[in-house]
Amino acid sequence: MSSAKGLVVISGASRGIGRAIALALADATCANRDKVSDESSSSILSSQHLHMVLMARSASSLQETADMVQQRCGNGDAIVTTTCHEMDLANIDSLPQNVKKILEPLANENYNSCLLINNAGSLGPLGKVTSICDEESPTVALRRWKDTIDFNVTSSLWLTSQFAKATSHVPHVRVINISSLCAIDPFPTMSLYCAGKAARDMFHAVLAKEHAQQTDGEGTTPSTSNPAQFKVLNYAPGACSTEMTDILADSADLDGGLQQFFSTSRDKKQLVRPDDTAAKLVGLLMKDEFESGSHVDYWDV
């Protein structure tokens, strides 16, 4: 029986898609525990002990997620353990210290595999590009723009960069950026959200490219290291039934066609369930056949 240890770090784990992914990973780990016999197996889902680091702003909601994770395996076995970190990723001043506190213990642990689910994000202000936050003063409007970019982009990119650095010694590393169709398709009145998702996609694609190559004195050449050691995926979960889509369905600032789509989809229960998109992501991780740096949509799988 393998004694492999795995680590999962999930941002935005207190609700919605982040919580659903945590539960799906716990289910898969517990279901696979008696099937793992190869000690060289490096998949995150092949771990005999999986530790989840859950991050979000709400301590109480994080604890709810942790409690739900603990209930998944049953029998009192500590196959999946959790640590909760209450933090505001939009607070850039405290971000370096908060991320360091989470990742520093990696140096002292012998993990066979590490997985980052970079999920946290927000809609930010909605409206046409020329009129976003027009009802507010320019100073206040600019602050809201900055806060949105800090949360959706700056903190996300920083978390990924520090995770990649901290796991450079780990045999098997996967980075999942929770993306969106908005990263590749312009949605009217959602410019800040689209821009943030597009920036995250490109950053993670560049990261994948860098890890697929090594630099020598004369330029960049394909790496001779194991390409399976480090892979990156931009995963678009589909239009899910979450608090975010509720906001879009009820928003007067959203493009009329989009607002009708979200409202009708919600009323007819046609939105993707978080549990379903989480299951598809776990399936992608189990097969591990995706091209590093690619963008994969829920509806493509």
Side-chain angles (χ1 to χ4, degrees):
M1 185 71 68
S2 170
S3 59
K5 293 171 57 179
L7 173 73
V8 178
V9 177
I10 307 177
S11 67
S14 62
R15 58 185 179 179
I17 295 171
R19 173 179 284 179
I21 292 173
L23 297 178
L25 287 169
D27 287 343
T29 301
C30 296
N32 289 338
R33 61 182 171 179
D34 296 325
K35 301 176 184 178
V36 181
S37 58
D38 180 4
E39 292 191 4
S40 66
S41 180
S42 58
S43 169
I44 189 70
L45 300 175
S46 299
S47 303
Q48 285 299 297
H49 173 73
L50 183 66
H51 185 64
M52 286 190 184
V53 176
L54 308 175
M55 308 159 52
R57 302 185 201 190
S58 170
S60 59
S61 295
L62 272 180
Q63 190 56 54
E64 287 178 8
T65 301
D67 291 343
M68 294 169 73
V69 165
Q70 294 302 318
Q71 294 168 5
R72 300 306 255 213
C73 287
N75 301 323
D77 296 334
I79 296 166
V80 181
T81 57
T82 58
T83 300
C84 296
H85 287 275
E86 177 189 5
M87 66 176 66
D88 183 0
L89 290 172
N91 187 337
I92 300 302
D93 291 337
S94 63
L95 184 66
Q97 189 59 37
N98 282 335
V99 172
K100 181 180 179 181
K101 179 174 61 177
I102 290 173
L103 298 179
E104 209 168 32
L106 273 172
N108 301 317
E109 294 287 348
N110 187 27
Y111 287 114
N112 297 78
S113 57
C114 290
L115 168 66
L116 171 64
I117 305 292
N118 199 329
N119 167 65
S122 68
L123 275 175
L126 302 170
K128 291 185 177 181
V129 169
T130 54
S131 59
I132 301 174
C133 303
D134 256 8
E135 71 281 3
E136 298 166 340
S137 70
T139 300
V140 173
L142 186 58
R143 171 57 62 180
R144 289 191 64 194
W145 282 46
K146 182 180 182 300
D147 289 346
T148 299
I149 296 300
D150 281 347
F151 184 31
N152 287 348
V153 181
T154 307
S155 69
S156 171
L157 306 194
W158 180 259
L159 175 60
T160 287
S161 70
Q162 299 308 296
F163 180 84
K165 185 185 300 184
T167 57
S168 60
H169 63 290
V170 178
H172 181 98
V173 180
R174 297 293 178 265
V175 174
I176 308 299
N177 168 48
I178 299 303
S179 183
S180 169
L181 181 59
C182 291
I184 58 176
D185 197 8
F187 280 34
T189 65
M190 295 180 65
S191 56
L192 288 180
Y193 184 75
C194 289
K197 287 297 186 182
R200 286 170 59 151
D201 260 36
M202 182 53 71
F203 181 89
H204 286 84
V206 170
L207 175 65
K209 186 76 169 181
E210 290 175 350
H211 272 268
Q213 297 176 325
Q214 65 180 7
T215 302
D216 58 27
E218 298 181 0
T220 303
T221 57
S223 173
T224 56
S225 63
N226 181 5
Q229 183 266 340
F230 189 101
K231 290 176 69 176
V232 182
L233 175 66
N234 293 306
Y235 176 70
C240 291
S241 179
T242 62
E243 291 182 23
M244 184 178 290
T245 49
D246 281 340
I247 293 172
L248 292 171
D250 297 330
S251 175
D253 296 321
L254 189 64
D255 172 80
L258 289 175
Q259 191 274 334
Q260 184 176 15
F261 164 78
F262 284 110
S263 178
T264 301
S265 298
R266 179 186 61 182
D267 294 345
K268 292 185 176 181
K269 301 187 184 305
Q270 295 172 336
L271 295 170
V272 178
R273 296 191 314 135
D275 289 350
D276 291 337
T277 199
K280 279 204 176 181
L281 175 57
V282 168
L284 285 168
L285 286 167
M286 292 179 70
K287 290 183 179 179
D288 203 31
E289 296 174 350
F290 59 85
E291 179 183 355
S292 186
S294 62
H295 176 105
V296 175
D297 191 277
Y298 171 86
W299 297 105
D300 297 334
V301 181

